[in-house]
Amino acid sequence: TRAFALGILILWGLLFAFVVLKRKSIMTGFTITNPLTLYFSIGLVLSQLWLVMARGILQGKQNFFGLGWTLILDGFVRITALIAIVLVFRGQSAGAMRAAVIGQGLALAFGLYWIRDGLCGPGEKFPVNDWLVQLLPLMGGTGGVMLLSSFDVPFIQATFEAGQRKLYM
């Protein structure tokens, strides 16, 4: 688990460096006006990957109490923060992304707390090759669905004219 979390962090660090280097072209291509929106989005990538890992461990341990609370906290805190940031404080897209980071961050903190024994305990040899053979098809299928369901709006904004974008939204 620790090695997997570290691998995710290293890959995310490379993604973050790429985004920082190419931020102007990314922001132009996706019509992002506030750079915080981009940075919060990148933060969500890391928290989402680690949260999926934590939830998978909780499910494997059959700790459905902890698993359920990570789901509840993510949704409830996200929507509560979204309402507060966007409606009360007049935040825009960066505020909405901040709300998502807050919700996922809290859910991740609780998820990591509930799997702390696996994070802090002794390590074991892990059959990486067997695991990859099972993981890659699952990751490709699920990843494809997540990609298509997450990037339709930025794709439309980057590709279509302003009048057509409003029809899609």
Side-chain angles (χ1 to χ4, degrees):
T1 302
R2 289 186 296 261
F4 190 66
L6 179 61
I8 289 172
L9 182 62
I10 290 168
L11 289 174
W12 176 83
L14 293 172
L15 173 68
F16 183 78
F18 175 80
V19 168
V20 168
L21 291 173
K22 299 287 187 178
R23 72 182 171 275
K24 290 188 184 205
S25 61
I26 292 170
M27 290 177 62
T28 302
F30 289 110
T31 61
I32 299 171
T33 56
N34 187 342
L36 285 176
T37 303
L38 180 63
Y39 294 125
F40 283 132
S41 298
I42 296 303
L44 278 174
V45 170
L46 180 62
S47 67
Q48 180 63 37
L49 291 171
W50 276 353
L51 189 56
V52 167
M53 180 189 67
R55 285 178 178 157
I57 293 168
L58 287 169
Q59 186 173 6
K61 291 173 63 173
Q62 296 186 5
N63 181 346
F64 299 115
F65 178 81
L67 177 63
W69 272 107
T70 64
L71 295 164
I72 291 168
L73 287 170
D74 188 9
F76 179 76
V77 172
R78 183 185 300 213
I79 195 69
T80 304
L82 179 68
I83 290 168
I85 291 170
V86 173
L87 296 181
V88 176
F89 298 110
R90 303 287 182 224
Q92 296 182 354
S93 61
M97 295 307 292
R98 183 178 297 141
V101 169
I102 291 169
Q104 277 196 351
L106 188 60
L108 177 62
F110 275 85
L112 293 175
Y113 172 78
W114 281 310
I115 65 167
R116 69 189 179 281
D117 58 332
L119 295 173
C120 300
E124 294 180 12
K125 179 104 172 102
F126 184 74
V128 176
N129 292 338
D130 296 340
W131 177 73
L132 283 174
V133 166
Q134 294 178 18
L135 174 74
L136 291 177
L138 178 64
M139 192 171 70
T142 305
V145 171
M146 287 179 66
L147 180 70
L148 291 174
S149 65
S150 300
F151 284 102
D152 59 336
V153 173
F155 174 77
I156 295 297
Q157 288 179 343
T159 324
F160 289 78
E161 297 175 12
Q164 291 177 328
R165 282 185 229 148
K166 291 179 183 177
L167 296 173
Y168 184 77
M169 301 303 167

